Amino acid sequence: MFEIKAKDNMGRVGVLKTKHGDVKTPALMPVIHPRKQEIDVGKYGADIVITNAYLIYKDEDLKKEAIEKGLHELIHFDGPIMTDSGSFQLSVYGDVEITNKEVIEFQELIKTDIGTSLDIPTAPFVDREKAESDLEITLERAREAVAYKKEQNMEMLLNSVVQGSTFLDLRRECARELSKLDADLYPIGAVVPLMESYHYKDLVDVVMNSMAELSDTVPRHLMGAGHPMIFALCVAMGCDLFDSAAYILYAEDDRLLSTRGTYKLENLQEMPCSCEVCTKYTPDDLRAMPKEKRRELIAQHNLHVSFAELRLIRQAIYDGNLMELVEERCRAHPALLEAVRHLGNYSKDLEKYDPRSKKSAFFYTGPESLCRSEVIRHVEKLRQMPKKRDLVILPPSRKPYSKFVSGKLGEFYVYGAQKELDLEDTDFMVLDIPFGLIPLEIDEVYPLSQNDAPKTRDVDAIEFAEDFISEFVEYYDQVLIHKRVVNDLELGLYEKSDFSDEIRYHKDDVKKVKAIADYQFGVGAGDALFSGNINIEKSKKTGKIRHIYDGKVLIVNMRASDSYLILSKEGAKRLHNRMPYPQNRVVVNKDSEPFALDGKSVFCKFVVTCDENIRAKDEVLIVNEEDKLLAYGKALLGACEIEQFQTGQAIKTRKGLKK
Ligand code: GUN
Ligand code: ZN
């Protein structure tokens, strides 16, 4: 019922399938009032809406009509409808006149598409005792709802809401317990007070800790989140659905939503966007209108900017630049900027989901960019790479750097004891922002050349570069740092090298492809792949490496767009022979063995286990449980997703090894 089409960080574009049609996610569900609804939200772009089953249940006339004609006719919407259970009323009034079982039964009776159990929305920052006792009830009711749905063979999909207030371990516990149930969607509840009070940093903690324990295969809904300013951030954390009455509540107060914040009509000299309303009317026109008409037009604008933002977010996921959108949006408010900085503490979680290679270049938008998955990932990989005796650090040039390095390199300063140089035993790296040290041999690998940052450094970037140097000088006997790097960073403690004139970089294609293999597949892969009579074929047009052979046997191709090595049959065999299990492996069960051998793609449900370091877009080996090589291909998901998903493709097989 939920299919993921594209991903970026923890954000995904998906399709949610319901009886009343498919919904593209991330999606916004406008809140419909079952009695007082005046605005046709479908006309303004809503594919799915949410309404309140409890309000219908409490009103004799509405209840009767809903039971007779069904919910869709009652609220005049023929797409998918989600219903809430009265939990919100419970949190406001302290009590509701309905039981959990009754509200589940009623939602099925009026033919909702997605119903909700009667969770307890525990406010943020309450006593631990209160949070724990509420949580017990929430979990009990979620279990009861799932069991009741099964027992009665109900058709509707079911929400199980994550609670736990601002206690992060309780959020995790709740999410973990709910994940054991067979609910269909997992909303994250009781976050409205956090958003209303600009506690976005706490929102990040609550959402990330809930997500950590929720299955990746189900849609996740941030309940009551309706301000377009926060959509990008929340999507990057893994939220698929939003709902809100904000579009109409704000309109009621003459306030216009925007991704930059909220505008009060009384302060507007100019209309803030280019929707139909903003192009047809001036602020004075709106102010002069009767209240009802004005409210409808502002609500129309509010829906327009919300849906426009979600389109932009989905496109950013397809393009692979969602984090740039997040960083941009979070400049709308200091509390949001604090939140995106705080999200940097969760980079390791985000990295697990982030595809290895993307269509778009990495753009540095500010210090927050230094915490992105790509940077964290490079630093980790670089630490693992084998190291020579000495290191030469060069200033950045045009990219790819290795193409523009030649001849005498200039003046150098030394860290460590001065020694006679052995260029064969020296690593050459460029120091740049945002990736820190970049070995010249691997500089064409995505995203090490496919990025851009301002040449004028901010203080965080300078500190980042300095930290990099202080760490890496410890790994080498002698570090030679180019004068320009020393000056840029104001590193004052070094003496001049007596050997500056001798420092030259010798390009060596075999070393280069071996280094790329080590970086891509793990240390040792270069020697595993490239032995024998290595023969490197380059593009006549661009001079870039295209194919690598042993004699006449193809080992790998190098993809032009990201310089990743694409295995051939021989390459896969060599990698498999020499790299220890489980590196680069996806292990499939007995049943799927013939399919893999035959070159058919591997579905998640046939995967027994896999290398935890696999990320979407990686080249991988497909083996059986005895580690016999069956096939090789490209991962479509990361390791943690492959292990969880029960449907869909895990690996797009390039070739099976059937004789
Ligand atoms: N609407 C906004 N917050 C919540 C919540 O925590 N639970 C439910 N059921 N509905 C909500
Ligand atoms: Zn507008």
Side-chain angles (χ1 to χ4, degrees):
M1 46 134 319
F2 185 58
E3 203 179 312
I4 293 171
K5 299 284 187 194
K7 344 181 290 119
D8 189 357
N9 280 272
M10 280 170 70
R12 12 349 139 80
V13 170
V15 179
L16 169 64
K17 293 180 177 147
T18 77
K19 277 182 298 178
H20 285 86
D22 294 355
V23 179
K24 251 194 253 172
T25 65
L28 172 69
M29 303 177 284
V31 174
I32 301 284
H33 197 288
R35 198 173 340 100
K36 300 188 288 200
Q37 187 66 24
E38 287 158 6
I39 292 169
D40 179 2
V41 296
K43 199 169 94 186
Y44 302 127
D47 297 325
I48 176 169
V49 300
I50 181 167
T51 189
N52 194 308
Y54 180 62
L55 295 184
I56 300 171
Y57 181 85
K58 281 259 290 175
D59 182 310
E60 281 308 321
D61 296 339
L62 289 176
K63 184 175 178 180
K64 187 156 173 277
E65 198 184 337
I67 293 172
E68 274 168 16
K69 299 184 183 161
L71 180 60
H72 291 79
E73 208 160 299
L74 177 78
I75 65 167
H76 309 293
F77 188 78
D78 55 17
I81 304 175
M82 182 185 283
T83 41
D84 203 349
S85 54
S87 292
F88 190 69
Q89 285 67 27
L90 179 69
S91 73
V92 176
Y93 306 111
D95 201 11
V96 282
E97 294 157 30
I98 197 165
T99 67
N100 184 44
K101 249 183 162 171
E102 282 165 351
V103 82
I104 294 293
E105 190 170 31
F106 181 64
Q107 289 173 97
E108 173 74 5
L109 185 65
I110 61 176
K111 297 191 174 64
T112 187
D113 292 283
I114 307 166
T116 309
S117 52
L118 193 64
D119 58 297
I120 303 198
T122 314
F125 312 116
V126 297
D127 288 347
R128 177 142 188 130
E129 241 169 83
K130 162 90 175 135
E132 279 177 358
S133 60
D134 279 2
L135 182 55
E136 216 170 290
I137 301 170
T138 292
L139 284 173
E140 200 36 59
R141 289 180 182 172
R143 291 185 189 112
E144 181 182 55
V146 171
Y148 193 45
K149 178 189 152 171
K150 263 194 197 143
E151 180 196 311
Q152 301 286 318
N153 243 331
M154 293 183 182
E155 268 196 74
M156 68 175 181
L157 301 172
L158 194 59
N159 273 327
S160 278
V161 187
V162 180
Q163 298 292 351
S165 182
T166 28
F167 296 98
L168 305 182
D169 61 316
L170 294 186
R171 287 281 181 178
R172 279 179 180 255
E173 183 193 327
C174 182
R176 195 162 47 238
E177 288 303 312
L178 293 179
S179 288
K180 292 180 191 161
L181 305 177
D182 241 349
D184 303 294
L185 298 92
Y186 289 91
I188 297 173
V191 292
V192 171
L194 289 176
M195 296 186 288
E196 283 175 348
S197 57
Y198 290 82
H199 281 88
Y200 298 126
K201 180 170 172 271
D202 299 286
L203 179 70
V204 166
D205 283 330
V206 163
V207 172
M208 288 304 289
N209 282 278
S210 304
M211 287 298 173
E213 298 290 341
L214 286 178
S215 163
D216 297 314
T217 62
V218 295
R220 286 117 23 149
H221 164 196
L222 196 64
M223 279 192 146
H227 201 303
M229 180 167 79
I230 66 160
F231 288 170
L233 173 68
C234 296
V235 168
M237 296 192 287
C239 298
D240 306 297
L241 294 168
F242 300 93
D243 76 86
S244 185
Y247 76 95
I248 189 71
L249 295 177
Y250 279 59
E252 182 73 36
D253 278 354
D254 286 333
R255 288 187 296 167
L256 287 79
L257 295 173
S258 127
T259 54
R260 300 200 56 215
T262 307
Y263 296 102
K264 285 187 182 150
L265 179 61
E266 64 187 60
N267 297 331
L268 280 184
Q269 311 288 326
E270 305 285 346
M271 294 305 286
C273 89
S274 47
C275 75
E276 247 179 78
V277 176
C278 291
T279 45
K280 190 165 175 195
Y281 303 98
T282 67
D284 281 335
D285 292 340
L286 287 181
R287 283 187 283 258
M289 275 175 199
K291 171 81 185 171
E292 251 110 88
K293 174 97 168 115
R294 185 166 75 233
R295 184 179 58 201
E296 159 134 22
L297 289 170
I298 296 175
Q300 186 184 336
H301 158 90
N302 288 345
L303 286 171
H304 174 89
V305 295
S306 303
F307 292 128
E309 178 67 356
L310 287 167
R311 287 195 297 273
L312 207 61
I313 289 169
R314 293 195 297 262
Q315 184 63 42
I317 294 174
Y318 284 120
D319 289 341
N321 55 25
L322 178 61
M323 285 316 285
E324 277 137 36
L325 183 62
V326 172
E327 288 163 14
E328 187 183 325
R329 289 295 184 249
C330 285
R331 275 157 175 78
H333 195 283
L336 272 177
L337 188 55
E338 183 174 24
V340 75
R341 286 182 183 168
H342 189 57
L343 185 63
N345 297 322
Y346 292 94
S347 297
K348 284 213 168 112
D349 299 304
L350 297 177
E351 192 279 326
K352 291 197 185 112
Y353 294 89
D354 206 23
R356 192 81 67 182
S357 176
K358 298 178 182 178
K359 271 188 248 169
S360 57
F362 179 117
F363 283 175
Y364 181 92
T365 75
E368 297 75 31
S369 306
L370 295 171
C371 294
R372 279 200 221 150
S373 303
E374 288 90 341
V375 179
I376 306 291
R377 183 181 279 167
H378 171 67
V379 176
E380 278 303 311
K381 284 242 171 206
L382 194 62
R383 285 190 180 126
Q384 291 159 15
M385 292 285 273
K387 295 173 182 71
K388 301 273 174 60
R389 191 192 77 181
D390 295 345
L391 169 64
V392 169
I393 298 179
L394 300 170
S397 60
R398 273 182 66 190
K399 295 185 200 89
Y401 314 106
S402 55
K403 198 170 168 184
F404 299 95
V405 176
S406 66
K408 249 202 233 179
L409 297 172
E411 205 175 311
F412 285 84
Y413 286 70
V414 189
Y415 180 95
Q418 282 223 35
K419 287 184 186 165
E420 215 40 83
L421 286 173
D422 175 2
L423 293 181
E424 282 302 304
D425 203 8
T426 303
D427 284 328
F428 281 78
M429 302 192 196
V430 166
L431 183 70
D432 204 356
I433 297 300
F435 290 104
L437 288 170
I438 301 142
L440 283 182
E441 276 119 5
I442 60 165
D443 72 334
E444 286 176 26
V445 175
Y446 183 91
L448 304 176
S449 275
Q450 299 82 344
N451 66 78
D452 211 349
K455 300 294 166 277
T456 323
R457 306 298 189 207
D458 53 67
V459 287
D460 291 73
I462 291 172
E463 197 176 304
F464 173 82
E466 286 170 351
D467 286 351
F468 235 105
I469 294 204
S470 351
E471 178 179 341
F472 275 73
V473 291
E474 299 300 325
Y475 303 148
Y476 293 89
D477 280 9
Q478 174 178 227
V479 180
L480 296 140
I481 307 178
H482 193 275
K483 185 178 168 181
R484 254 176 52 209
V485 176
V486 172
N487 289 345
D488 285 352
L489 297 182
E490 298 181 23
L491 300 169
L493 305 166
Y494 304 98
E495 55 177 300
K496 278 190 187 172
S497 166
D498 300 333
F499 304 103
S500 288
D501 285 355
E502 293 169 28
I503 301 174
R504 277 155 210 269
Y505 177 62
H506 296 293
K507 284 179 203 172
D508 181 327
D509 287 335
V510 174
K511 275 192 193 153
K512 172 172 169 153
V513 295
K514 283 189 173 184
I516 292 177
D518 280 357
Y519 188 75
Q520 183 178 340
F521 296 110
V523 176
D527 286 337
L529 286 169
F530 306 119
S531 60
N533 177 20
I534 297 302
N535 174 6
I536 295 178
E537 201 179 292
K538 295 185 180 179
S539 154
K540 288 203 181 70
K541 235 200 220 148
T542 62
K544 279 189 166 182
I545 296 173
R546 295 306 306 274
H547 313 290
I548 306 163
Y549 302 88
D550 176 358
K552 288 211 165 83
V553 182
L554 180 69
I555 311 170
V556 297
N557 295 311
M558 190 185 274
R559 188 161 50 211
S561 58
D562 57 11
S563 289
Y564 277 75
L565 302 176
I566 312 299
L567 298 167
S568 72
K569 194 165 162 180
E570 177 63 19
K573 283 182 180 170
R574 288 182 179 203
L575 200 65
H576 179 255
N577 269 337
R578 292 275 298 276
M579 298 299 279
Y581 179 88
Q583 279 190 58
N584 305 296
R585 264 57 155 207
V586 172
V587 183
V588 299
N589 67 16
K590 264 246 144 359
D591 292 347
S592 70
E593 223 170 282
F595 297 96
L597 282 170
D598 213 20
K600 301 279 194 316
S601 283
V602 175
F603 286 83
C604 293
K605 66 170 172 245
F606 301 123
V607 176
V608 180
T609 183
C610 69
D611 177 358
E612 62 175 10
N613 297 308
I614 289 171
R615 300 289 178 268
K617 305 280 168 75
D618 271 346
E619 296 296 312
V620 298
L621 304 170
I622 301 160
V623 300
N624 69 9
E625 290 182 74
E626 283 80 51
D627 195 28
K628 183 184 144 207
L629 184 64
L630 306 171
Y632 56 96
K634 181 172 87 171
L636 301 174
L637 299 165
C640 57
E641 297 160 299
I642 294 175
E643 302 242 7
Q644 280 184 37
F645 283 34
Q646 282 306 308
T647 58
Q649 286 184 16
I651 315 295
K652 190 169 189 308
T653 304
R654 292 195 187 276
K655 235 189 193 113
L657 296 193
K658 195 160 78 178
K659 292 286 169 315

